[in-house]
Amino acid sequence: MLSTRIHDILKNHLSELQTEWFATMASQGGRRDSLTKDAELREQCAEFLRLLMEATRQGSSFDINASVYTPVRELLERLSRARSLQGHSPSETATFIFSFKHPLFNALRREWTRDPQVLGDELWNATLLLDKLGLFTTEIHQRTREEVIHRQQQEMMELSTPVVQLWDRIVALPLIGTLDSGRTQTVMETLLQRIVETSAEIAILDITGVPTVDTLTAQHLIKTVTATRLMGAECVISGIRPQIAQTIVHLGVDLSGVVTKSSLAGAFSWALKRLNQSVHTPPSPRATPAGKG
């Protein structure tokens, strides 16, 4: 079995390996005391060595995707995700594994120094195994960061599409930034859900904060207007600045069937009239003559 000799080294020198490994991590910068405490790190080292020893006892190869390495992979996945979320860099995460080369190589040299052929083979086997495990930790670290970034983008997208109830049966969605397909889908879902919740009859899409309007953006707006109408509500697009109006005309985008206004205030005023409602400004109180009251 290819892994027999490494298993024997782990089994016969477990305590020394763990001590030397911990010292190696300290010298190579694999420890960040503010993020991972010594006791926790020692426990992680001990668990990894125990699982690796069991895997090399059962395994006949160094295929880390084999079932015998499942517990090892699960541990490294858990540790890599935790380190990624704690702020460790990919190299710091991989150092947890790569730093074990030094104590393991030293143990192999002490055991097989008189047999260069066996020593060379075992050093190569150990290198292959630890390199694969180290690369696995960086893959998990990167995947975790990508998941965090994706989740943050989703949260930012949701925060950037707040639907505000301006008046009874009137809601408004102020859009800021560039509209792409993903964001448009979120805009649609958020707006339609809010229309259902508030029984709104008019929805105002305010694009004052949208820097430019191209053909794709215009198509997204038309789709949102169409979806809103299918929900039984009228949709108004406000914030049509002169530059945007010229761009829409130049692009040949047909918004003739869509109510548009130059400002949110204008759209709100239109919506009130549409619903036969109005806002009256209360009269200002008369000034009290001097010497009275």
Side-chain angles (χ1 to χ4, degrees):
M1 295 175 66
L2 296 175
S3 57
T4 300
R5 293 189 178 96
I6 291 181
H7 168 75
D8 291 341
I9 291 293
L10 293 171
K11 179 180 178 181
N12 298 329
H13 305 281
L14 191 62
S15 179
E16 303 96 302
L17 287 170
Q18 183 172 340
T19 300
E20 189 174 351
W21 184 17
F22 194 79
T24 301
M25 276 192 286
S27 64
Q28 293 183 357
R31 289 170 50 194
R32 292 177 67 178
D33 294 339
S34 61
L35 300 178
T36 307
K37 301 300 181 182
D38 284 358
E40 180 183 1
L41 188 57
R42 290 182 186 277
E43 184 178 343
Q44 293 169 356
C45 292
E47 185 177 4
F48 172 77
L49 291 178
R50 179 180 61 80
L51 295 176
L52 184 62
M53 181 172 62
E54 181 63 21
T56 53
R57 182 185 69 82
Q58 298 182 56
S60 58
S61 70
F62 293 124
D63 178 13
I64 68 169
N65 294 315
S67 59
V68 294
Y69 282 95
T70 298
V72 178
R73 294 196 310 272
E74 290 176 347
L75 170 65
L76 293 181
E77 182 170 356
R78 188 169 67 251
L79 297 182
S80 299
R81 286 186 177 277
R83 280 165 165 70
S84 177
L85 295 174
Q86 289 172 343
H88 287 269
S89 68
S91 60
E92 288 172 333
T93 301
T95 296
F96 177 77
I97 295 298
F98 293 145
S99 59
F100 183 55
K101 286 184 177 182
H102 182 71
L104 181 58
F105 287 5
N106 285 344
L108 288 170
R109 290 190 188 97
R110 289 192 295 268
E111 193 76 17
W112 300 101
T113 187
R114 296 183 180 180
D115 194 333
Q117 181 62 46
V118 173
L119 176 60
D121 291 343
E122 292 307 315
L123 288 175
W124 177 244
N125 289 334
T127 299
L128 288 178
L129 176 61
L130 295 181
D131 282 353
K132 290 178 180 179
L133 293 174
L135 291 175
F136 177 77
T137 65
T138 61
E139 291 173 1
I140 297 299
H141 183 284
Q142 182 64 25
R143 190 186 310 165
T144 302
R145 294 304 304 161
E146 290 174 354
E147 291 171 357
V148 170
I149 292 171
H150 178 70
R151 186 172 66 251
Q152 290 174 340
Q153 288 176 336
Q154 289 295 110
E155 292 172 352
M156 291 178 65
M157 191 176 296
E158 292 172 1
L159 289 173
S160 66
T161 54
V163 180
V164 182
Q165 184 167 5
L166 295 180
W167 202 259
D168 180 37
R169 294 176 291 164
I170 303 175
V171 296
L173 176 55
L175 297 174
I176 300 175
T178 304
L179 284 176
D180 56 20
S181 299
R183 190 178 178 206
T184 302
Q185 185 64 31
T186 302
V187 167
M188 243 188 240
E189 293 174 357
T190 305
L191 180 59
L192 298 182
Q193 182 62 35
R194 192 65 173 146
I195 288 173
V196 172
E197 293 172 353
T198 62
S199 300
E201 296 181 17
I202 296 180
I204 301 173
L205 282 177
D206 184 68
I207 62 171
T208 304
V210 177
T212 58
V213 173
D214 54 17
T215 304
L216 186 60
T217 303
Q219 290 174 351
H220 290 328
L221 290 173
I222 292 173
K223 288 180 181 178
T224 304
V225 170
T226 303
T228 303
R229 287 175 174 172
L230 289 174
M231 295 296 295
E234 187 67 34
C235 192
V236 187
I237 299 179
S238 65
I240 305 291
R241 303 186 300 278
Q243 300 88 337
I244 289 182
Q246 292 175 14
T247 301
I248 291 175
V249 172
H250 178 72
L251 293 173
V253 178
D254 184 13
L255 293 180
S256 58
V258 181
V259 178
T260 60
K261 297 294 178 180
S262 61
S263 66
L264 179 58
F268 181 52
S269 177
W270 179 91
L272 289 174
K273 292 177 181 178
R274 182 78 171 180
L275 297 176
N276 295 319
Q277 298 185 29
S278 60
V279 179
H280 297 285
T281 304
S284 58
R286 295 180 180 179
T288 303
K292 294 186 177 181

